[in-house]
Amino acid sequence: MRRAQAKRLPRDRDNTSILSRNAYTLGLLRGSDRQCIESMRMSGEAYVRLCMHFKHKLWLHDSRHVSIEEKRAMFLTIIGHNERYVVIKRRFQHSSQTMHKYFHEVLATMMTFAREMIVPSTFDPNLNSPGAHKSLRWIFKGAVGALDGTLVHAIIPASQQTVYKGGKGKCYQNVLLICDFNMIFTFVYAGWEGVANDSRVLTEVMAEPSNNFPFPLPNNKYCLCDVAYTNTRKFMAPYRNIRYWLGDFYPRRAMTKEEKFNHAYAKLRNVIERAYGVLNARFPILDKMAHYPFNVQRNVVIACFAFNNFIRKENINDELFV
């Protein structure tokens, strides 16, 4: 046995950068904030706070050769730039197997983090707090946020693509969202087939208690939703067959009382469009998902929402939110 081991050829090392494995991460944190934002899609301050949070909660630990900071930097670089392991391994000087191992380790802890970051509203919002259209929030006093469904690109095996196919022949997963007026997502449910009707998704999600959908809402509280949903006591939709998209009111302003209602409603509900726009700009993987198993794709989507909420809740100065 020893003789066979002696004859074993040494492993051919193909990561030969002069930077040590942790040097790249340290260089990001010690350099300009711009390079941290461009590489990890968040400022150095946000990144340090995030790592400290995971250390404090004991969700991640330093490994023998890889620190928490480096694990998280690898994960954020992958989802922030939709990069493959073969590219990231050169940057961080690790093998593809190591990249795969720590990507999934961090992703698993992100599901615990998401349960802490994505939580229902208090249903008693402070109307004087900063956020979208304070004057309109006094008009829609009972509104606790906006509800919508959105499509996120998905990679689906050919045999299962029919129920996931959307426009231009691409596949999507349908994601149900609720966002408060401070651009914080208070509920996210990912993984539905792309062709599923938004109203059906809402009904099915509400029917399963384990989904923790915030329903029933307290008295006089409701969510704003678009015409894809039924107008009920707890879900307020705009007038149907009346202009209600913001773009519909330019340059021709609202004239009738129904159009004026829809215009005011659209300006307030637009917070969910802006919040998702920030998320989409931060994580381009939502526009072009990598070839992960579908459950991993779903978890990556949830992780992106959790990161965005953390930055917003910590009141960290962030150029995308600005």
Side-chain angles (χ1 to χ4, degrees):
M1 186 65 152
R2 291 180 180 175
R3 188 176 302 171
Q5 289 178 347
K7 293 181 179 179
R8 186 179 298 165
L9 294 175
R11 189 176 65 174
D12 183 21
R13 296 184 62 86
D14 59 352
N15 288 322
T16 56
S17 170
I18 60 173
L19 290 176
S20 65
R21 291 173 172 175
N22 201 39
Y24 178 76
T25 306
L26 293 176
L28 287 177
L29 297 177
R30 293 170 181 172
S32 68
D33 212 36
R34 169 52 48 189
Q35 69 176 4
C36 198
I37 292 171
E38 290 177 353
S39 297
M40 296 187 290
R41 315 306 297 154
M42 62 177 62
S43 67
E45 177 190 2
Y47 180 73
V48 170
R49 284 203 210 176
L50 186 67
C51 291
M52 292 302 296
H53 187 81
F54 274 71
K55 285 182 179 180
H56 177 71
K57 295 285 187 176
L58 302 179
W59 290 338
L60 274 178
H61 303 277
D62 292 337
S63 301
R64 183 177 179 183
H65 299 296
V66 185
S67 66
I68 290 176
E69 290 78 9
E70 191 176 4
K71 291 178 183 180
R72 187 150 298 287
M74 291 188 290
F75 182 84
L76 283 168
T77 305
I78 289 171
I79 69 170
H81 297 273
N82 197 12
E83 292 284 17
R84 303 300 182 264
Y85 297 147
V86 69
V87 176
I88 301 301
K89 77 171 189 174
R90 300 300 181 197
R91 191 170 302 172
F92 289 92
Q93 295 293 290
H94 290 291
S95 67
S96 296
Q97 292 83 357
T98 299
M99 300 300 306
H100 179 274
K101 174 184 177 180
Y102 291 124
F103 174 84
H104 287 278
E105 180 183 319
V106 173
L107 183 60
T109 64
M110 285 303 304
M111 296 305 97
T112 304
F113 181 61
R115 288 191 287 272
E116 182 182 274
M117 286 294 111
I118 306 172
V119 294
S121 166
T122 61
F123 304 118
D124 188 24
N126 180 1
L127 298 178
N128 293 315
S129 64
H133 300 289
K134 286 197 290 185
S135 60
L136 289 175
R137 284 187 285 150
W138 278 103
I139 298 172
F140 295 90
K141 273 189 178 182
V144 294
L147 178 146
D148 201 3
T150 191
L151 296 178
V152 174
H153 180 243
I155 302 295
I156 305 296
S159 60
Q160 304 171 23
Q161 287 184 359
T162 303
V163 295
Y164 289 92
K165 276 194 175 179
K168 300 180 180 179
K170 293 183 178 180
C171 293
Y172 299 91
Q173 59 170 301
N174 198 326
V175 183
L176 178 67
L177 316 169
I178 299 178
C179 176
D180 70 15
F181 297 117
N182 197 33
M183 300 177 73
I184 293 173
F185 291 97
T186 58
F187 181 81
V188 176
Y189 189 92
W192 273 85
E193 302 93 339
V195 299
N197 178 272
D198 286 347
S199 185
R200 178 200 159 204
V201 172
L202 175 61
T203 301
E204 295 285 345
V205 170
M206 289 171 54
E208 178 53 58
S210 64
N211 293 331
N212 296 318
F213 187 82
F215 191 85
L217 299 175
N219 290 336
N220 303 318
K221 303 297 181 183
Y222 54 88
C223 285
L224 305 179
C225 52
D226 66 20
V227 292
Y229 301 92
T230 303
N231 185 39
T232 66
R233 185 178 179 186
K234 298 300 182 181
F235 301 99
M236 179 183 286
Y239 284 102
R240 292 178 179 270
N241 303 317
I242 304 289
R243 291 184 293 162
Y244 75 94
W245 295 111
L246 281 180
D248 295 339
F249 294 97
Y250 300 102
R252 188 165 63 91
R253 63 178 184 156
M255 302 297 291
T256 66
K257 65 179 182 179
E258 291 83 4
E259 287 188 344
K260 290 178 179 178
F261 174 89
N262 278 10
H263 188 210
Y265 167 94
K267 286 195 291 184
L268 189 56
R269 184 187 167 278
N270 186 248
V271 66
I272 197 168
E273 306 289 348
R274 293 187 293 112
Y276 187 74
V278 169
L279 181 79
N280 212 35
R282 193 184 309 281
F283 297 113
I285 197 170
L286 299 176
D287 269 338
K288 190 175 181 181
M289 185 59 69
H291 288 73
Y292 303 123
F294 187 70
N295 66 311
V296 174
Q297 297 179 48
R298 181 194 62 228
N299 290 348
V300 165
V301 171
I302 295 171
C304 292
F305 281 96
F307 277 132
N308 229 45
N309 273 9
F310 177 80
I311 294 171
R312 193 62 171 171
K313 287 184 175 185
E314 290 287 310
N315 294 316
I316 297 169
N317 186 31
D318 180 82
E319 61 180 28
L320 290 176
F321 279 116
V322 171

